[in-house]
Amino acid sequence: MRSSSPRATATPSRTAASVLAEAADARATVVLSGHVQPDADALGSTLALAEGLRRRGARVLTTFPDPFTLPESLSWLPGADGLVPSSAVPASPDVFVSLDAASPGRLGELATLLDDAGVSVVVDHHASNPGFGDVRLVDGAAPATVTLVAGLLDELGVSIDAQLATCLYAGLSADTGSFRFGNTRPDTHQLAARLLATGIDHSEISRRLFDTAPFGWLGLLSAVTGRAVLESEVGDGGLVWTWSSTAEAAEFGLPGEQLEALVDVVRSTQEADVACVLKGQDDGSWSVSLRSRGGTDLARVALALGGGGHTLAAGYSSYLDREKTVEALRRALTGE
């Protein structure tokens, strides 16, 4: 599929589905990747679309940016055992597909493939997505990227069986908070029903995703919630924040990715509209997770601080110290 012809550009007639169908028909090499430290939506999208393209005849490689480590809660997904590190993918594949990445920066070292591939395709549901890649399927109103992938599979003529449905359901249930979040729509439940009809064990999927953790998680949770700070005067509805680090997680025998679940505990605070967890990384930076109960546009806040995301869930990275990171967040929430 790759040739000396000019690079493909996004046109009304050149859709993500048409590019992928052409690649499959040509048995082209397609590299697919989710964002750094992939969650269930990023990984489920990647694995489901990759398997669909493989069934259509494409030569498929699945990866994600360094650090190349999957949490145990996701490593069981069908196809995860076929993931390869970014160093193992070709530098100039025929097609590169970015899934669930709100910006090129979220692709880490793989961002170069947006320019170096014959065609780059971006599939994403983040409202803050600035629009990148040659061909884009971006819907900020979609509850999860897996919903867009389900549509692509339909357009590609790939039947969604239990293997694909497992990947799709994992991403759908995760990004809707088990269908509790405001992004859940009537067609979200319609897709869920369609996936359940394939015979997947939805209770087992939910147990693995949400209800299984090492005993050390309880100790970490106690330490982190015990130092939480409530600042009722910040922003329109108040801020609750706390912090941890990969080093602290290790003290409890936990991998760093276990920190990702903390914000879903902190967000339950009734007295604050915005919940924030600062997660210290090995390089000294902070990965900041934000959640809103509905009164704050976090996509705007995160964009102002160099990140992105959704109205009610967003994040960014900070290279300031902890207090300066929180102070910058306070200013962004108050519109300063």
Side-chain angles (χ1 to χ4, degrees), residues 22-75:
E22 291 169 12
D25 291 342
R27 296 186 58 79
T29 298
V30 183
V31 172
L32 301 95
S33 175
H35 55 68
V36 65
Q37 296 178 329
D39 55 13
D41 190 26
L43 187 62
S45 297
T46 299
L47 297 178
L49 184 57
E51 178 60 21
L53 289 171
R54 191 175 290 115
R55 294 178 186 181
R56 278 289 310 268
R59 304 175 188 273
V60 175
L61 289 167
T62 53
T63 186
F64 59 90
D66 289 334
F68 188 68
T69 304
L70 275 184
E72 187 175 343
S73 61
L74 298 178
S75 60

mmCIF file of all heavy atoms in Angstrom, residues 22-75:
data_model
loop_
_atom_site.group_PDB
_atom_site.id
_atom_site.type_symbol
_atom_site.label_atom_id
_atom_site.label_comp_id
_atom_site.label_asym_id
_atom_site.label_seq_id
_atom_site.Cartn_x
_atom_site.Cartn_y
_atom_site.Cartn_z
ATOM 1 N N GLU A 22 -9.302 -0.764 2.477
ATOM 2 C CA GLU A 22 -8.284 -0.823 1.429
ATOM 3 C C GLU A 22 -7.032 -1.535 1.933
ATOM 4 O O GLU A 22 -6.421 -2.342 1.217
ATOM 5 C CB GLU A 22 -7.915 0.587 0.974
ATOM 6 C CG GLU A 22 -9.008 1.319 0.215
ATOM 7 C CD GLU A 22 -8.676 2.794 0.025
ATOM 8 O OE1 GLU A 22 -7.515 3.170 0.290
ATOM 9 O OE2 GLU A 22 -9.572 3.556 -0.371
ATOM 10 N N ALA A 23 -6.656 -1.230 3.167
ATOM 11 C CA ALA A 23 -5.466 -1.869 3.738
ATOM 12 C C ALA A 23 -5.657 -3.375 3.862
ATOM 13 O O ALA A 23 -4.753 -4.165 3.558
ATOM 14 C CB ALA A 23 -5.164 -1.250 5.104
ATOM 15 N N ALA A 24 -6.839 -3.782 4.317
ATOM 16 C CA ALA A 24 -7.112 -5.210 4.465
ATOM 17 C C ALA A 24 -7.104 -5.907 3.111
ATOM 18 O O ALA A 24 -6.526 -6.989 2.952
ATOM 19 C CB ALA A 24 -8.448 -5.406 5.169
ATOM 20 N N ASP A 25 -7.737 -5.271 2.128
ATOM 21 C CA ASP A 25 -7.799 -5.872 0.789
ATOM 22 C C ASP A 25 -6.402 -6.008 0.185
ATOM 23 O O ASP A 25 -6.133 -6.958 -0.560
ATOM 24 C CB ASP A 25 -8.679 -5.027 -0.133
ATOM 25 C CG ASP A 25 -10.148 -5.075 0.263
ATOM 26 O OD1 ASP A 25 -10.534 -6.005 1.016
ATOM 27 O OD2 ASP A 25 -10.906 -4.168 -0.156
ATOM 28 N N ALA A 26 -5.509 -5.073 0.504
ATOM 29 C CA ALA A 26 -4.149 -5.097 -0.037
ATOM 30 C C ALA A 26 -3.192 -5.909 0.825
ATOM 31 O O ALA A 26 -1.997 -5.975 0.518
ATOM 32 C CB ALA A 26 -3.628 -3.658 -0.167
ATOM 33 N N ARG A 27 -3.703 -6.521 1.895
ATOM 34 C CA ARG A 27 -2.862 -7.238 2.852
ATOM 35 C C ARG A 27 -1.717 -6.360 3.340
ATOM 36 O O ARG A 27 -0.559 -6.795 3.469
ATOM 37 C CB ARG A 27 -2.336 -8.551 2.258
ATOM 38 C CG ARG A 27 -3.430 -9.559 1.949
ATOM 39 C CD ARG A 27 -2.865 -10.896 1.501
ATOM 40 N NE ARG A 27 -1.980 -11.498 2.499
ATOM 41 C CZ ARG A 27 -2.397 -12.151 3.578
ATOM 42 N NH1 ARG A 27 -3.707 -12.252 3.829
ATOM 43 N NH2 ARG A 27 -1.531 -12.695 4.399
ATOM 44 N N ALA A 28 -2.051 -5.125 3.599
ATOM 45 C CA ALA A 28 -1.058 -4.145 4.031
ATOM 46 C C ALA A 28 -0.700 -4.353 5.497
ATOM 47 O O ALA A 28 -1.400 -5.039 6.251
ATOM 48 C CB ALA A 28 -1.608 -2.731 3.826
ATOM 49 N N THR A 29 0.399 -3.738 5.912
ATOM 50 C CA THR A 29 0.832 -3.790 7.303
ATOM 51 C C THR A 29 0.193 -2.646 8.070
ATOM 52 O O THR A 29 0.366 -1.470 7.712
ATOM 53 C CB THR A 29 2.363 -3.686 7.405
ATOM 54 O OG1 THR A 29 2.952 -4.806 6.736
ATOM 55 C CG2 THR A 29 2.805 -3.678 8.865
ATOM 56 N N VAL A 30 -0.551 -2.989 9.119
ATOM 57 C CA VAL A 30 -1.247 -1.995 9.935
ATOM 58 C C VAL A 30 -0.744 -2.108 11.372
ATOM 59 O O VAL A 30 -0.791 -3.181 11.971
ATOM 60 C CB VAL A 30 -2.775 -2.208 9.905
ATOM 61 C CG1 VAL A 30 -3.483 -1.110 10.702
ATOM 62 C CG2 VAL A 30 -3.285 -2.241 8.464
ATOM 63 N N VAL A 31 -0.266 -1.009 11.903
ATOM 64 C CA VAL A 31 0.154 -0.935 13.304
ATOM 65 C C VAL A 31 -0.925 -0.186 14.075
ATOM 66 O O VAL A 31 -1.341 0.901 13.670
ATOM 67 C CB VAL A 31 1.506 -0.216 13.459
ATOM 68 C CG1 VAL A 31 1.832 0.018 14.940
ATOM 69 C CG2 VAL A 31 2.615 -1.016 12.795
ATOM 70 N N LEU A 32 -1.391 -0.771 15.170
ATOM 71 C CA LEU A 32 -2.414 -0.142 16.005
ATOM 72 C C LEU A 32 -1.859 0.086 17.404
ATOM 73 O O LEU A 32 -1.182 -0.778 17.964
ATOM 74 C CB LEU A 32 -3.668 -1.011 16.106
ATOM 75 C CG LEU A 32 -4.371 -1.355 14.796
ATOM 76 C CD1 LEU A 32 -3.895 -2.722 14.283
ATOM 77 C CD2 LEU A 32 -5.883 -1.363 14.963
ATOM 78 N N SER A 33 -2.190 1.241 17.968
ATOM 79 C CA SER A 33 -1.728 1.547 19.321
ATOM 80 C C SER A 33 -2.746 2.387 20.060
ATOM 81 O O SER A 33 -3.345 3.308 19.494
ATOM 82 C CB SER A 33 -0.395 2.306 19.287
ATOM 83 O OG SER A 33 -0.003 2.700 20.598
ATOM 84 N N GLY A 34 -2.903 2.090 21.345
ATOM 85 C CA GLY A 34 -3.627 2.975 22.240
ATOM 86 C C GLY A 34 -2.653 3.959 22.871
ATOM 87 O O GLY A 34 -1.469 4.011 22.515
ATOM 88 N N HIS A 35 -3.138 4.729 23.822
ATOM 89 C CA HIS A 35 -2.292 5.734 24.476
ATOM 90 C C HIS A 35 -1.376 5.102 25.511
ATOM 91 O O HIS A 35 -1.494 3.925 25.857
ATOM 92 C CB HIS A 35 -3.158 6.821 25.108
ATOM 93 C CG HIS A 35 -4.188 6.313 26.074
ATOM 94 N ND1 HIS A 35 -3.888 5.738 27.286
ATOM 95 C CD2 HIS A 35 -5.549 6.283 25.990
ATOM 96 C CE1 HIS A 35 -4.987 5.395 27.921
ATOM 97 N NE2 HIS A 35 -6.020 5.702 27.155
ATOM 98 N N VAL A 36 -0.457 5.899 26.016
ATOM 99 C CA VAL A 36 0.471 5.451 27.048
ATOM 100 C C VAL A 36 -0.313 4.990 28.277
ATOM 101 O O VAL A 36 -1.375 5.519 28.578
ATOM 102 C CB VAL A 36 1.448 6.593 27.409
ATOM 103 C CG1 VAL A 36 0.721 7.769 28.045
ATOM 104 C CG2 VAL A 36 2.568 6.099 28.319
ATOM 105 N N GLN A 37 0.184 3.954 28.947
ATOM 106 C CA GLN A 37 -0.511 3.349 30.084
ATOM 107 C C GLN A 37 -1.984 3.105 29.736
ATOM 108 O O GLN A 37 -2.889 3.683 30.333
ATOM 109 C CB GLN A 37 -0.379 4.232 31.325
ATOM 110 C CG GLN A 37 1.058 4.365 31.809
ATOM 111 C CD GLN A 37 1.213 5.266 33.015
ATOM 112 O OE1 GLN A 37 0.464 6.232 33.202
ATOM 113 N NE2 GLN A 37 2.192 4.964 33.842
ATOM 114 N N PRO A 38 -2.230 2.244 28.757
ATOM 115 C CA PRO A 38 -3.587 2.063 28.239
ATOM 116 C C PRO A 38 -4.563 1.579 29.298
ATOM 117 O O PRO A 38 -4.223 0.779 30.170
ATOM 118 C CB PRO A 38 -3.404 1.010 27.141
ATOM 119 C CG PRO A 38 -2.139 0.303 27.508
ATOM 120 C CD PRO A 38 -1.258 1.340 28.125
ATOM 121 N N ASP A 39 -5.782 2.102 29.218
ATOM 122 C CA ASP A 39 -6.871 1.646 30.070
ATOM 123 C C ASP A 39 -7.707 0.644 29.277
ATOM 124 O O ASP A 39 -7.342 0.240 28.168
ATOM 125 C CB ASP A 39 -7.710 2.824 30.567
ATOM 126 C CG ASP A 39 -8.238 3.684 29.428
ATOM 127 O OD1 ASP A 39 -8.168 3.260 28.251
ATOM 128 O OD2 ASP A 39 -8.735 4.789 29.702
ATOM 129 N N ALA A 40 -8.844 0.252 29.845
ATOM 130 C CA ALA A 40 -9.654 -0.776 29.193
ATOM 131 C C ALA A 40 -10.200 -0.302 27.851
ATOM 132 O O ALA A 40 -10.336 -1.108 26.914
ATOM 133 C CB ALA A 40 -10.801 -1.195 30.109
ATOM 134 N N ASP A 41 -10.515 0.978 27.725
ATOM 135 C CA ASP A 41 -11.043 1.477 26.459
ATOM 136 C C ASP A 41 -9.963 1.498 25.388
ATOM 137 O O ASP A 41 -10.183 1.049 24.253
ATOM 138 C CB ASP A 41 -11.632 2.879 26.659
ATOM 139 C CG ASP A 41 -12.416 3.361 25.448
ATOM 140 O OD1 ASP A 41 -12.927 2.513 24.691
ATOM 141 O OD2 ASP A 41 -12.534 4.594 25.270
ATOM 142 N N ALA A 42 -8.783 1.994 25.724
ATOM 143 C CA ALA A 42 -7.690 2.046 24.755
ATOM 144 C C ALA A 42 -7.279 0.641 24.315
ATOM 145 O O ALA A 42 -7.121 0.366 23.117
ATOM 146 C CB ALA A 42 -6.492 2.779 25.349
ATOM 147 N N LEU A 43 -7.122 -0.255 25.291
ATOM 148 C CA LEU A 43 -6.667 -1.598 24.948
ATOM 149 C C LEU A 43 -7.779 -2.400 24.269
ATOM 150 O O LEU A 43 -7.527 -3.099 23.279
ATOM 151 C CB LEU A 43 -6.188 -2.324 26.202
ATOM 152 C CG LEU A 43 -5.520 -3.676 25.948
ATOM 153 C CD1 LEU A 43 -4.262 -3.500 25.104
ATOM 154 C CD2 LEU A 43 -5.177 -4.359 27.258
ATOM 155 N N GLY A 44 -9.001 -2.290 24.774
ATOM 156 C CA GLY A 44 -10.100 -3.007 24.155
ATOM 157 C C GLY A 44 -10.319 -2.567 22.718
ATOM 158 O O GLY A 44 -10.580 -3.400 21.830
ATOM 159 N N SER A 45 -10.205 -1.259 22.465
ATOM 160 C CA SER A 45 -10.341 -0.737 21.101
ATOM 161 C C SER A 45 -9.258 -1.289 20.198
ATOM 162 O O SER A 45 -9.519 -1.729 19.067
ATOM 163 C CB SER A 45 -10.262 0.792 21.121
ATOM 164 O OG SER A 45 -11.320 1.360 21.841
ATOM 165 N N THR A 46 -8.028 -1.256 20.694
ATOM 166 C CA THR A 46 -6.889 -1.722 19.896
ATOM 167 C C THR A 46 -7.028 -3.196 19.543
ATOM 168 O O THR A 46 -6.877 -3.592 18.375
ATOM 169 C CB THR A 46 -5.579 -1.493 20.676
ATOM 170 O OG1 THR A 46 -5.412 -0.093 20.939
ATOM 171 C CG2 THR A 46 -4.381 -2.001 19.899
ATOM 172 N N LEU A 47 -7.320 -4.016 20.541
ATOM 173 C CA LEU A 47 -7.373 -5.461 20.313
ATOM 174 C C LEU A 47 -8.555 -5.857 19.442
ATOM 175 O O LEU A 47 -8.444 -6.752 18.589
ATOM 176 C CB LEU A 47 -7.423 -6.188 21.650
ATOM 177 C CG LEU A 47 -6.193 -6.003 22.554
ATOM 178 C CD1 LEU A 47 -6.398 -6.733 23.873
ATOM 179 C CD2 LEU A 47 -4.931 -6.481 21.858
ATOM 180 N N ALA A 48 -9.697 -5.207 19.640
ATOM 181 C CA ALA A 48 -10.873 -5.557 18.844
ATOM 182 C C ALA A 48 -10.691 -5.178 17.381
ATOM 183 O O ALA A 48 -10.980 -5.973 16.473
ATOM 184 C CB ALA A 48 -12.114 -4.877 19.418
ATOM 185 N N LEU A 49 -10.220 -3.956 17.130
ATOM 186 C CA LEU A 49 -10.039 -3.526 15.744
ATOM 187 C C LEU A 49 -8.932 -4.329 15.076
ATOM 188 O O LEU A 49 -9.042 -4.687 13.892
ATOM 189 C CB LEU A 49 -9.725 -2.036 15.685
ATOM 190 C CG LEU A 49 -9.614 -1.438 14.282
ATOM 191 C CD1 LEU A 49 -10.888 -1.674 13.476
ATOM 192 C CD2 LEU A 49 -9.312 0.064 14.356
ATOM 193 N N ALA A 50 -7.877 -4.632 15.814
ATOM 194 C CA ALA A 50 -6.782 -5.416 15.242
ATOM 195 C C ALA A 50 -7.268 -6.794 14.806
ATOM 196 O O ALA A 50 -6.943 -7.266 13.701
ATOM 197 C CB ALA A 50 -5.655 -5.558 16.257
ATOM 198 N N GLU A 51 -8.052 -7.457 15.646
ATOM 199 C CA GLU A 51 -8.559 -8.775 15.294
ATOM 200 C C GLU A 51 -9.501 -8.696 14.101
ATOM 201 O O GLU A 51 -9.482 -9.572 13.208
ATOM 202 C CB GLU A 51 -9.255 -9.413 16.496
ATOM 203 C CG GLU A 51 -9.871 -10.777 16.233
ATOM 204 C CD GLU A 51 -8.861 -11.818 15.797
ATOM 205 O OE1 GLU A 51 -7.648 -11.654 16.062
ATOM 206 O OE2 GLU A 51 -9.287 -12.823 15.172
ATOM 207 N N GLY A 52 -10.318 -7.644 14.056
ATOM 208 C CA GLY A 52 -11.204 -7.471 12.908
ATOM 209 C C GLY A 52 -10.430 -7.298 11.618
ATOM 210 O O GLY A 52 -10.768 -7.908 10.588
ATOM 211 N N LEU A 53 -9.376 -6.492 11.643
ATOM 212 C CA LEU A 53 -8.557 -6.285 10.448
ATOM 213 C C LEU A 53 -7.807 -7.554 10.074
ATOM 214 O O LEU A 53 -7.640 -7.859 8.889
ATOM 215 C CB LEU A 53 -7.566 -5.144 10.696
ATOM 216 C CG LEU A 53 -8.169 -3.751 10.779
ATOM 217 C CD1 LEU A 53 -7.124 -2.743 11.250
ATOM 218 C CD2 LEU A 53 -8.730 -3.326 9.416
ATOM 219 N N ARG A 54 -7.373 -8.295 11.076
ATOM 220 C CA ARG A 54 -6.675 -9.551 10.817
ATOM 221 C C ARG A 54 -7.608 -10.526 10.088
ATOM 222 O O ARG A 54 -7.203 -11.218 9.144
ATOM 223 C CB ARG A 54 -6.188 -10.135 12.139
ATOM 224 C CG ARG A 54 -5.225 -11.315 11.999
ATOM 225 C CD ARG A 54 -4.711 -11.742 13.359
ATOM 226 N NE ARG A 54 -3.799 -10.746 13.935
ATOM 227 C CZ ARG A 54 -4.045 -10.042 15.037
ATOM 228 N NH1 ARG A 54 -5.191 -10.213 15.695
ATOM 229 N NH2 ARG A 54 -3.172 -9.176 15.487
ATOM 230 N N ARG A 55 -8.861 -10.569 10.511
ATOM 231 C CA ARG A 55 -9.825 -11.454 9.854
ATOM 232 C C ARG A 55 -10.119 -11.009 8.430
ATOM 233 O O ARG A 55 -10.483 -11.835 7.575
ATOM 234 C CB ARG A 55 -11.119 -11.497 10.669
ATOM 235 C CG ARG A 55 -10.955 -12.135 12.034
ATOM 236 C CD ARG A 55 -12.246 -12.102 12.822
ATOM 237 N NE ARG A 55 -12.063 -12.587 14.190
ATOM 238 C CZ ARG A 55 -13.034 -12.678 15.092
ATOM 239 N NH1 ARG A 55 -14.284 -12.338 14.763
ATOM 240 N NH2 ARG A 55 -12.775 -13.109 16.311
ATOM 241 N N ARG A 56 -9.949 -9.721 8.160
ATOM 242 C CA ARG A 56 -10.161 -9.200 6.812
ATOM 243 C C ARG A 56 -8.938 -9.367 5.923
ATOM 244 O O ARG A 56 -8.998 -9.076 4.723
ATOM 245 C CB ARG A 56 -10.538 -7.721 6.879
ATOM 246 C CG ARG A 56 -12.003 -7.431 7.164
ATOM 247 C CD ARG A 56 -12.879 -7.794 5.961
ATOM 248 N NE ARG A 56 -12.354 -7.220 4.738
ATOM 249 C CZ ARG A 56 -12.700 -6.039 4.240
ATOM 250 N NH1 ARG A 56 -13.603 -5.301 4.883
ATOM 251 N NH2 ARG A 56 -12.178 -5.583 3.114
ATOM 252 N N GLY A 57 -7.799 -9.795 6.497
ATOM 253 C CA GLY A 57 -6.622 -10.065 5.674
ATOM 254 C C GLY A 57 -5.439 -9.151 5.884
ATOM 255 O O GLY A 57 -4.386 -9.360 5.259
ATOM 256 N N ALA A 58 -5.561 -8.149 6.718
ATOM 257 C CA ALA A 58 -4.446 -7.232 6.950
ATOM 258 C C ALA A 58 -3.359 -7.909 7.777
ATOM 259 O O ALA A 58 -3.612 -8.861 8.530
ATOM 260 C CB ALA A 58 -4.928 -5.975 7.658
ATOM 261 N N ARG A 59 -2.146 -7.424 7.642
ATOM 262 C CA ARG A 59 -1.025 -7.847 8.483
ATOM 263 C C ARG A 59 -0.973 -6.866 9.648
ATOM 264 O O ARG A 59 -0.690 -5.688 9.454
ATOM 265 C CB ARG A 59 0.278 -7.840 7.692
ATOM 266 C CG ARG A 59 0.231 -8.707 6.431
ATOM 267 C CD ARG A 59 1.516 -8.576 5.614
ATOM 268 N NE ARG A 59 1.394 -9.252 4.332
ATOM 269 C CZ ARG A 59 1.658 -10.537 4.143
ATOM 270 N NH1 ARG A 59 2.046 -11.282 5.165
ATOM 271 N NH2 ARG A 59 1.523 -11.079 2.945
ATOM 272 N N VAL A 60 -1.233 -7.357 10.832
ATOM 273 C CA VAL A 60 -1.512 -6.483 11.974
ATOM 274 C C VAL A 60 -0.468 -6.636 13.067
ATOM 275 O O VAL A 60 -0.043 -7.749 13.397
ATOM 276 C CB VAL A 60 -2.913 -6.799 12.550
ATOM 277 C CG1 VAL A 60 -3.166 -5.991 13.813
ATOM 278 C CG2 VAL A 60 -3.988 -6.519 11.510
ATOM 279 N N LEU A 61 -0.064 -5.489 13.631
ATOM 280 C CA LEU A 61 0.784 -5.457 14.819
ATOM 281 C C LEU A 61 0.127 -4.545 15.845
ATOM 282 O O LEU A 61 -0.310 -3.433 15.509
ATOM 283 C CB LEU A 61 2.181 -4.927 14.485
ATOM 284 C CG LEU A 61 3.093 -5.845 13.658
ATOM 285 C CD1 LEU A 61 4.288 -5.055 13.141
ATOM 286 C CD2 LEU A 61 3.561 -7.025 14.495
ATOM 287 N N THR A 62 0.039 -5.001 17.080
ATOM 288 C CA THR A 62 -0.544 -4.191 18.151
ATOM 289 C C THR A 62 0.516 -3.844 19.178
ATOM 290 O O THR A 62 1.346 -4.685 19.546
ATOM 291 C CB THR A 62 -1.696 -4.945 18.848
ATOM 292 O OG1 THR A 62 -1.237 -6.235 19.270
ATOM 293 C CG2 THR A 62 -2.872 -5.109 17.905
ATOM 294 N N THR A 63 0.479 -2.618 19.656
ATOM 295 C CA THR A 63 1.486 -2.140 20.589
ATOM 296 C C THR A 63 0.902 -1.028 21.437
ATOM 297 O O THR A 63 -0.269 -0.679 21.310
ATOM 298 C CB THR A 63 2.733 -1.643 19.818
ATOM 299 O OG1 THR A 63 3.775 -1.309 20.741
ATOM 300 C CG2 THR A 63 2.402 -0.413 18.973
ATOM 301 N N PHE A 64 1.706 -0.470 22.320
ATOM 302 C CA PHE A 64 1.386 0.779 23.009
ATOM 303 C C PHE A 64 2.693 1.378 23.498
ATOM 304 O O PHE A 64 3.716 0.681 23.579
ATOM 305 C CB PHE A 64 0.378 0.579 24.156
ATOM 306 C CG PHE A 64 0.807 -0.374 25.234
ATOM 307 C CD1 PHE A 64 1.518 0.072 26.337
ATOM 308 C CD2 PHE A 64 0.465 -1.716 25.166
ATOM 309 C CE1 PHE A 64 1.909 -0.805 27.337
ATOM 310 C CE2 PHE A 64 0.841 -2.597 26.166
ATOM 311 C CZ PHE A 64 1.571 -2.137 27.261
ATOM 312 N N PRO A 65 2.709 2.677 23.818
ATOM 313 C CA PRO A 65 3.973 3.341 24.161
ATOM 314 C C PRO A 65 4.569 2.828 25.469
ATOM 315 O O PRO A 65 3.881 2.284 26.327
ATOM 316 C CB PRO A 65 3.570 4.821 24.291
ATOM 317 C CG PRO A 65 2.243 4.935 23.620
ATOM 318 C CD PRO A 65 1.579 3.621 23.778
ATOM 319 N N ASP A 66 5.874 3.028 25.596
ATOM 320 C CA ASP A 66 6.561 2.706 26.847
ATOM 321 C C ASP A 66 5.990 3.535 27.997
ATOM 322 O O ASP A 66 5.563 4.670 27.779
ATOM 323 C CB ASP A 66 8.056 2.997 26.707
ATOM 324 C CG ASP A 66 8.748 1.999 25.779
ATOM 325 O OD1 ASP A 66 8.238 0.863 25.649
ATOM 326 O OD2 ASP A 66 9.783 2.364 25.195
ATOM 327 N N PRO A 67 5.951 2.988 29.208
ATOM 328 C CA PRO A 67 6.477 1.688 29.626
ATOM 329 C C PRO A 67 5.577 0.541 29.163
ATOM 330 O O PRO A 67 4.362 0.608 29.315
ATOM 331 C CB PRO A 67 6.501 1.790 31.150
ATOM 332 C CG PRO A 67 5.425 2.785 31.470
ATOM 333 C CD PRO A 67 5.438 3.779 30.349
ATOM 334 N N PHE A 68 6.204 -0.489 28.606
ATOM 335 C CA PHE A 68 5.456 -1.583 28.002
ATOM 336 C C PHE A 68 5.083 -2.615 29.067
ATOM 337 O O PHE A 68 5.628 -3.715 29.125
ATOM 338 C CB PHE A 68 6.277 -2.219 26.877
ATOM 339 C CG PHE A 68 5.512 -3.225 26.066
ATOM 340 C CD1 PHE A 68 4.473 -2.821 25.246
ATOM 341 C CD2 PHE A 68 5.834 -4.570 26.130
ATOM 342 C CE1 PHE A 68 3.769 -3.745 24.492
ATOM 343 C CE2 PHE A 68 5.136 -5.509 25.382
ATOM 344 C CZ PHE A 68 4.101 -5.091 24.560
ATOM 345 N N THR A 69 4.163 -2.237 29.932
ATOM 346 C CA THR A 69 3.698 -3.118 31.002
ATOM 347 C C THR A 69 2.188 -2.968 31.130
ATOM 348 O O THR A 69 1.685 -1.841 31.269
ATOM 349 C CB THR A 69 4.351 -2.763 32.347
ATOM 350 O OG1 THR A 69 5.769 -2.815 32.212
ATOM 351 C CG2 THR A 69 3.918 -3.738 33.425
ATOM 352 N N LEU A 70 1.474 -4.086 31.098
ATOM 353 C CA LEU A 70 0.029 -4.070 31.273
ATOM 354 C C LEU A 70 -0.326 -4.440 32.706
ATOM 355 O O LEU A 70 0.274 -5.354 33.276
ATOM 356 C CB LEU A 70 -0.648 -5.082 30.350
ATOM 357 C CG LEU A 70 -0.970 -4.679 28.917
ATOM 358 C CD1 LEU A 70 -1.718 -5.808 28.229
ATOM 359 C CD2 LEU A 70 -1.774 -3.403 28.865
ATOM 360 N N PRO A 71 -1.301 -3.760 33.302
ATOM 361 C CA PRO A 71 -1.763 -4.193 34.618
ATOM 362 C C PRO A 71 -2.454 -5.545 34.513
ATOM 363 O O PRO A 71 -3.005 -5.907 33.461
ATOM 364 C CB PRO A 71 -2.744 -3.093 35.016
ATOM 365 C CG PRO A 71 -3.211 -2.499 33.734
ATOM 366 C CD PRO A 71 -2.028 -2.581 32.810
ATOM 367 N N GLU A 72 -2.430 -6.289 35.593
ATOM 368 C CA GLU A 72 -3.044 -7.611 35.600
ATOM 369 C C GLU A 72 -4.531 -7.543 35.277
ATOM 370 O O GLU A 72 -5.099 -8.472 34.697
ATOM 371 C CB GLU A 72 -2.838 -8.263 36.971
ATOM 372 C CG GLU A 72 -3.298 -9.703 37.048
ATOM 373 C CD GLU A 72 -2.977 -10.343 38.381
ATOM 374 O OE1 GLU A 72 -2.135 -9.796 39.110
ATOM 375 O OE2 GLU A 72 -3.581 -11.399 38.691
ATOM 376 N N SER A 73 -5.159 -6.400 35.599
ATOM 377 C CA SER A 73 -6.590 -6.258 35.352
ATOM 378 C C SER A 73 -6.934 -6.216 33.877
ATOM 379 O O SER A 73 -8.100 -6.356 33.500
ATOM 380 C CB SER A 73 -7.109 -4.981 36.027
ATOM 381 O OG SER A 73 -6.462 -3.833 35.493
ATOM 382 N N LEU A 74 -5.921 -6.031 33.001
ATOM 383 C CA LEU A 74 -6.167 -5.960 31.559
ATOM 384 C C LEU A 74 -5.452 -7.045 30.766
ATOM 385 O O LEU A 74 -5.815 -7.288 29.608
ATOM 386 C CB LEU A 74 -5.738 -4.595 31.012
ATOM 387 C CG LEU A 74 -6.465 -3.363 31.543
ATOM 388 C CD1 LEU A 74 -5.874 -2.101 30.937
ATOM 389 C CD2 LEU A 74 -7.955 -3.448 31.232
ATOM 390 N N SER A 75 -4.464 -7.690 31.344
ATOM 391 C CA SER A 75 -3.624 -8.611 30.588
ATOM 392 C C SER A 75 -4.365 -9.862 30.122
ATOM 393 O O SER A 75 -3.871 -10.603 29.270
ATOM 394 C CB SER A 75 -2.411 -9.020 31.430
ATOM 395 O OG SER A 75 -2.816 -9.657 32.622
#
